[in-house]
Amino acid sequence: MKRVTMFRTAAGRRIYSLPLRAFPGLVANVYVISDGPRPLLVDCGSGLDESNEDLLAGFTAIGNQYGETIHPADLGAILVTHGHIDHFGGLAFLRQLTNAPIGVHPLDWRVLSHYEERVVVASRRLENFLEQAGVENTVRANLMTMYLFAKGVYRSTPVQFSLEEGEVEELLAAGLSFYHMPGHCPGQVCIQVDDLLLTADHVLAHTTPHQAPESITHNTGLGHYLASLAKIEQAPGVSLALGGHEEPMPDLSGRIQAIRQAHHQRLERVLELCRQPQTIAEVSLALFGRVKSYHVLLGLEEAGAHIEYLYERGELVAANVEEIEQKRNPVILYQRV
């Protein structure tokens, strides 16, 4: 486990960053906001054994490194920034250690509280997307197996309150502001604590956050994401942004501009590829090459999100209309107008 880091806000509040091994090769940052006797935990890792071990070690390290004793039982609330399992999967484990109420945005509430139902519905939509994308049967079956593999890690956990923008601040602590940022995830929220901004997966220091089509999950999609980027760019008085992964970001605006530019370049590349009719699978291969394992699925979703954005705005059209009319869930060919 990497070293716990403390950040101090302009008003003197302490924010501890606890890095957890969420999945092999993926480190997730969870945060403890210390302001009085009831600290807040922001996110809780994946729920895998290594992640849970790192979470407990992080609480211990706060005391060893900074002399402030905080235990899970001391928590006043657990705030979940969005409904991706590397950020909420540890809830069932934490429930053995604390009765702190859990809060999440309403658009991700069902993911936490009715997880098994959500997996069934989401997997069906994903399978339909892959079929329309032109992914051949064997590859599609393998991708679905990978998608569902980690879904057994978590079990449904009740949620106690909603992280509604502008409505929950007084419930928790002075100095906190919440921003709803749909796109990467329907219920993604960023949390501002005085002059520090916890961006979760909305803005990251190096990675351009993953996008998936809204046809799979409502309130995702590149259009929502770009609008949310513009919104968080206006957050007042931010001196430092802290992501759900990777390093702190002292220049939030510069990082947002770089992410926006990366998406615009990808959109231009998709338009160039679609001078001739293309499937989503063909576009994904051209954009990302012959990647392996879960990266195949991530590439297909990313390509699908960009194609969906251009299609919704009339820059792409379906080139095989007769086939779409005659077949159930046909492969769709997209072409530049």
Side-chain angles (χ1 to χ4, degrees):
M1 175 182 167
K2 295 182 179 179
R3 187 177 177 86
V4 168
T5 305
M6 183 185 74
F7 303 90
R8 194 178 294 274
T9 75
R13 295 178 177 86
R14 298 170 300 284
I15 300 180
Y16 297 99
S17 174
L18 283 57
L20 314 183
R21 294 167 291 172
F23 292 109
L26 179 66
V27 174
N29 301 323
V30 308
Y31 295 94
V32 176
I33 303 171
S34 178
D35 180 28
R38 303 296 283 174
L40 307 174
L41 178 66
V42 179
D43 291 336
C44 56
S46 66
L48 294 180
D49 290 343
E50 295 86 353
S51 180
N52 294 337
E53 291 168 7
D54 287 349
L55 181 61
L56 294 182
F59 279 99
T60 300
I62 292 173
N64 292 339
Q65 293 177 211
Y66 299 102
E68 183 170 7
T69 301
I70 301 176
H71 300 292
D74 302 326
L75 295 173
I78 302 169
L79 314 180
V80 176
T81 60
H82 63 293
H84 288 167
I85 197 167
D86 53 322
H87 295 264
F88 72 80
L91 286 175
F93 170 74
L94 274 173
R95 262 294 166 260
Q96 304 171 56
L97 307 172
T98 177
N99 292 319
I102 298 166
V104 70
H105 191 272
L107 292 182
D108 282 347
W109 186 303
R110 181 173 59 93
V111 179
L112 277 58
S113 63
H114 295 83
Y115 181 74
E116 294 79 10
E117 178 264 350
R118 190 264 177 183
V119 167
V120 171
V121 173
S123 62
R124 180 60 62 202
R125 288 178 177 170
L126 175 60
E127 195 166 18
N128 290 339
F129 163 77
L130 294 175
E131 187 175 352
Q132 289 186 335
V135 180
E136 66 99 4
N137 292 346
T138 302
V139 176
R140 190 164 71 242
N142 289 338
L143 291 175
M144 292 306 302
T145 298
M146 282 191 292
Y147 174 77
L148 293 168
F149 175 75
K151 306 306 176 183
V153 172
Y154 179 80
R155 62 180 183 272
S156 295
T157 302
V159 174
Q160 282 72 50
F161 65 98
S162 297
L163 296 184
E164 293 271 20
E165 183 174 330
E167 297 182 12
V168 73
E169 285 84 345
E170 293 183 4
L171 176 66
L172 297 172
L176 270 67
S177 298
F178 293 81
Y179 304 93
H180 179 215
M181 298 284 117
H184 174 73
C185 193
Q188 169 79 72
V189 296
C190 295
I191 305 171
Q192 187 167 353
V193 187
D194 301 323
D195 58 321
L196 302 190
L197 182 69
L198 307 184
T199 62
D201 285 7
H202 185 54
V203 184
L204 299 174
H206 305 296
T207 303
T208 300
H210 175 64
Q211 302 301 310
E214 190 168 15
S215 61
I216 299 176
T217 304
H218 297 311
N219 294 293
T220 60
L222 187 58
H224 284 297
Y225 180 71
L226 293 175
S228 293
L229 272 187
K231 178 180 175 182
I232 201 61
E233 196 171 18
Q234 304 304 313
V238 175
S239 66
L240 184 67
L242 305 173
H245 307 274
E246 303 176 351
E247 293 82 18
M249 295 165 280
D251 182 8
L252 176 63
S253 180
R255 183 61 194 136
I256 288 172
Q257 292 175 30
I259 292 172
R260 187 184 291 122
Q261 180 63 23
H263 283 299
H264 287 321
Q265 290 174 348
R266 186 159 291 165
L267 290 168
E268 289 297 323
R269 175 63 173 147
V270 171
L271 285 172
E272 183 65 27
L273 290 168
C274 290
R275 289 186 181 276
Q276 300 297 322
Q278 299 283 309
T279 66
I280 290 174
E282 290 169 336
V283 170
S284 178
L285 180 61
L287 289 176
F288 306 110
R290 295 192 178 278
V291 294
K292 296 181 179 180
S293 188
Y294 207 78
H295 293 285
V296 177
L297 179 57
L298 295 178
L300 287 163
E301 289 183 336
E302 188 80 22
H306 286 75
I307 287 174
E308 178 184 75
Y309 180 88
L310 293 167
Y311 179 78
E312 288 176 343
R313 285 154 182 79
E315 297 188 62
L316 295 177
V317 295
N320 56 330
V321 175
E322 290 185 4
E323 184 179 8
I324 294 171
E325 184 178 21
Q326 294 170 6
K327 291 185 178 181
R328 186 197 66 83
N329 207 34
V331 176
I332 300 176
L333 298 171
Y334 294 91
Q335 187 169 17
R336 184 173 185 171
V337 174

